[in-house]
């Protein structure tokens, strides 16, 4: 591909003391892609996302977003990025809409109309938006989190396990939403260990294991030789582990 990558990781490495959590990642995500970042627990997904978002210093290597380097001291490129990492934090005694209004103050271009727009987009209706966040279900909080991430119309959306804690209906809705955003041209970087979910949403995936990419490619290509992504995943993640005893 010749387009400038939206996200470029180069030899990205992170050590926590003597633990190497992320080990020399090279990765490019291109405009309009939905990229799945897969891996078992502890593979290094959240650590990688922390470095992408300028929340953690890489031990080595670099992150570029829209061609600009990101570090905890240099986060200008993140203005075009929206993120949903972990359970989003909101003021529990304020309504969903009031929480969004507070966040909107960070962005001069975001007004009441955009707040209505994102609420509609994530499927929080007027009565839900009026309720205090402490009364929200996990699924509603997650939707509000996505609404918050979308407020400033980001061109790149970074999601770390966005369906964690959602029931099957909530998961299906999140999938539908992500597909809709992808169709609108938003580039999506989605970390998950839910293979079926990623298989349904993403164009391309990388599978991370012990901080390294052990498989990467278009979903269709990875599936050409295997029944589903689970089989691909097990082949690259479980067998080496079994071999180690
Ligand atoms: N703050 C920290 N201090 C020390 N070690 C850490 C820290 N954060 C993560 N680790 C270790 O780094 C490795 C990668 O963790 P990370 O949370 O990035 O994995 P993950 O792929 O997001 O896992 P999960 O699917 O469970 O969310 C693990 O071995 C973890 O124990
Ligand atoms: Mg994680």
């Amino acid at each position: 591909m010749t387009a400038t990558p939206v996200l470029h990781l180069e030899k990205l490495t992170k050590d926590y003391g003597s633990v190497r959590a992320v080990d020399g990642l090279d990765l490019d995500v291109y405009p309009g892609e939905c990229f799945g970042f897969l891996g078992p627990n502890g593979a290094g997904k959240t650590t990688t996302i922390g470095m992408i978002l300028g929340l953690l210093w890489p031990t080595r290597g670099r992150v570029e977003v829209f061609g600009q380097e990101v570090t905890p001291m240099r986060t200008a490129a993140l203005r075009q990025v929206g993120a949903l990492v972990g359970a989003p934090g909101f003021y529990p005694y304020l309504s969903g809409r009031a929480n969004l209004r507070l966040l909107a103050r960070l962005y001069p271009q975001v007004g009441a109309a955009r707040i209505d727009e994102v609420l509609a987009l994530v499927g929080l209706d007027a009565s839900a938006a009026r309720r205090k966040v402490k009364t929200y279900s996990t699924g509603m909080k997650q939707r509000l989190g996505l609404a918050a991430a979308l407020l400033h119309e980001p061109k790149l959306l970074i999601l770390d396990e966005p369906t964690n804690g959602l029931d099957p209906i909530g998961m299906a809705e999140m999938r539908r939403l992500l597909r809709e955003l992808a169709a609108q041209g938003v580039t999506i970087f989605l970390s998950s260990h839910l293979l079926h979910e990623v298989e349904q949403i993403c164009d391309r995936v990388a599978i991370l294991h012990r901080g390294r990419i052990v498989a990467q490619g278009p979903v269709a290509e990875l599936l050409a030789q295997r029944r589903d992504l689970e089989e691909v995943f097990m082949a690259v993640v479980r067998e080496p582990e079994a071999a180690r005893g």
Side-chain angles (χ1 to χ4, degrees):
M1 269 186 258
T2 50
T4 308
V6 166
L7 177 65
H8 172 73
L9 308 183
E10 203 177 300
K11 309 256 174 306
L12 193 65
T13 301
K14 179 71 184 180
D15 294 339
Y16 294 111
S18 61
V19 175
R20 177 145 296 175
V22 174
D23 192 2
L25 290 198
D26 288 309
L27 189 105
D28 286 300
V29 178
Y30 293 94
E33 274 194 302
C34 178
F35 193 93
F37 196 47
L38 288 166
N41 292 129
K45 304 180 297 293
T46 300
T47 301
T48 303
I49 287 178
M51 291 189 281
I52 294 172
L53 296 175
L55 303 170
L56 285 174
W57 280 106
T59 303
R60 258 192 292 120
R62 58 193 273 131
V63 174
E64 281 177 22
V65 172
F66 299 102
Q68 271 184 283
E69 187 170 12
V70 175
T71 71
M73 300 296 283
R74 259 180 111 235
T75 55
L78 297 176
R79 280 188 206 125
Q80 304 180 75
V81 177
L84 182 54
V85 175
F90 291 108
Y91 293 102
Y93 289 95
L94 294 180
S95 70
R97 182 187 295 276
N99 269 282
L100 292 183
R101 238 188 263 126
L102 273 179
L103 285 170
R105 289 206 211 149
L106 297 172
Y107 311 107
Q109 80 276 22
V110 174
R114 178 63 186 163
I115 292 175
D116 287 336
E117 221 172 89
V118 293
L119 283 168
L121 191 66
V122 302
L124 286 175
D125 63 23
S127 90
R130 263 196 306 271
R131 273 167 48 193
K132 287 180 182 164
V133 167
K134 66 171 185 142
T135 71
Y136 279 20
S137 66
T138 308
M140 290 170 79
K141 278 187 204 148
Q142 211 59 2
R143 280 195 244 176
L144 187 63
L146 189 60
L150 291 170
L151 265 183
H152 60 302
E153 300 187 59
K155 296 203 199 86
L156 170 62
L157 194 57
I158 294 184
L159 307 160
D160 191 10
E161 312 271 2
T163 54
N164 238 0
L166 298 189
D167 62 22
I169 298 169
M171 281 191 188
E173 258 178 33
M174 184 64 83
R175 276 201 298 274
R176 182 190 56 78
L177 244 163
L178 295 183
R179 275 196 297 255
E180 205 171 298
L181 289 166
Q184 289 174 18
V186 177
T187 305
I188 297 176
F189 185 79
L190 169 68
S191 137
S192 180
H193 43 226
L194 300 174
L195 306 164
H196 186 58
E197 170 173 293
V198 166
E199 194 176 311
Q200 288 179 65
I201 312 176
C202 295
D203 313 304
R204 215 151 58 86
V205 299
I207 301 177
L208 195 68
H209 183 45
R210 298 171 192 254
R212 293 189 189 185
I213 292 174
V214 289
Q216 186 174 187
V219 172
E221 238 168 67
L222 291 174
L223 292 179
Q225 288 133 22
R226 305 275 184 178
R227 189 162 28 97
D228 52 24
L229 267 188
E230 185 169 320
E231 215 179 279
V232 177
F233 188 87
M234 291 306 182
V236 294
V237 168
R238 207 157 69 174
E239 279 162 21
E241 215 159 34
R244 251 181 230 111

